Amino acid sequence: MKALLAPVVALGVKVLGTISDAQESELLAVEELWPDVPHQVCQFHVLRDAFKTAFEADKALKTAMRKRLQPKVREVRKQIKKYLLTASPQEAEQLAVLDDYANGILTALNIDGLQPFKYATVEASQMLEQIEASLQQLLKKGDQ
């Protein structure tokens, strides 16, 4: 690491501060080259490390949710495609809408998180709530 920082020293660049991801080799090199320069650990790396356990738990929950629901949604889509073969034009239109909803559910189940701030289960839950709200609106329109 020290060898990578040496050109900065050789050029005579005044270093006002440093940021690293707190790897031991980086910390030692920075301390040796610039002992009086303020150093800060990258906030992204700190947060990523702090939330790693929660992120892994979220990932496991999302995977379990996907494994449980994905086959059921795929089966519904298979049934929709089967009914489309003999459906009237109006029924075909309605089945296509249902297939779009099923596809939206699969999309929500396959969303990935991004550590440390984006949790897949939270994102999927929000998407599924929007789908549910939309289906509820369709149900109300159907009752009229």
Side-chain angles (χ1 to χ4, degrees):
M1 186 65 186
K2 191 171 138 184
L4 294 173
L5 299 173
V8 176
V9 175
L11 290 173
V13 175
K14 183 175 181 179
V15 178
L16 302 176
T18 63
I19 297 176
S20 75
D21 61 0
Q23 288 184 9
E24 189 174 347
S25 60
E26 289 178 350
L27 295 173
L28 293 171
V30 167
E31 178 62 30
E32 186 177 325
L33 291 171
W34 303 301
D36 298 326
V37 173
H39 174 266
Q40 178 178 327
V41 175
C42 173
Q43 293 177 2
F44 176 84
H45 287 94
V46 169
L47 290 171
R48 183 191 64 193
D49 293 345
F51 289 99
K52 185 175 184 175
T53 303
F55 184 81
E56 292 300 323
D58 176 78
K59 186 176 177 181
L61 179 61
K62 189 209 62 154
T63 299
M65 188 169 74
R66 184 176 62 231
K67 283 182 179 180
R68 184 172 178 201
L69 295 176
Q70 208 170 39
K72 294 176 182 181
V73 176
R74 284 191 176 139
E75 182 58 34
V76 167
R77 291 190 81 198
K78 195 191 247 182
Q79 290 175 12
I80 288 171
K81 300 234 185 287
K82 179 181 170 187
Y83 289 129
L84 272 172
L85 298 173
T86 59
S88 69
Q90 183 181 6
E91 290 171 332
E93 188 177 328
Q94 292 171 347
L95 289 168
V97 170
L98 290 175
D99 190 54
D100 285 344
Y101 277 104
N103 192 41
I105 292 168
L106 289 176
T107 300
L109 293 174
N110 285 308
I111 198 158
D112 287 326
L114 179 64
Q115 193 177 2
F117 300 114
K118 185 177 172 187
Y119 291 93
T121 305
V122 173
E123 297 259 339
S125 176
Q126 290 170 345
M127 291 173 74
L128 292 170
E129 286 172 3
Q130 290 172 349
I131 291 169
E132 180 186 17
S134 180
L135 285 167
Q136 290 295 334
Q137 287 178 336
L138 285 176
L139 186 61
K140 286 179 186 176
K141 285 182 182 178
D143 289 340
Q144 296 176 358

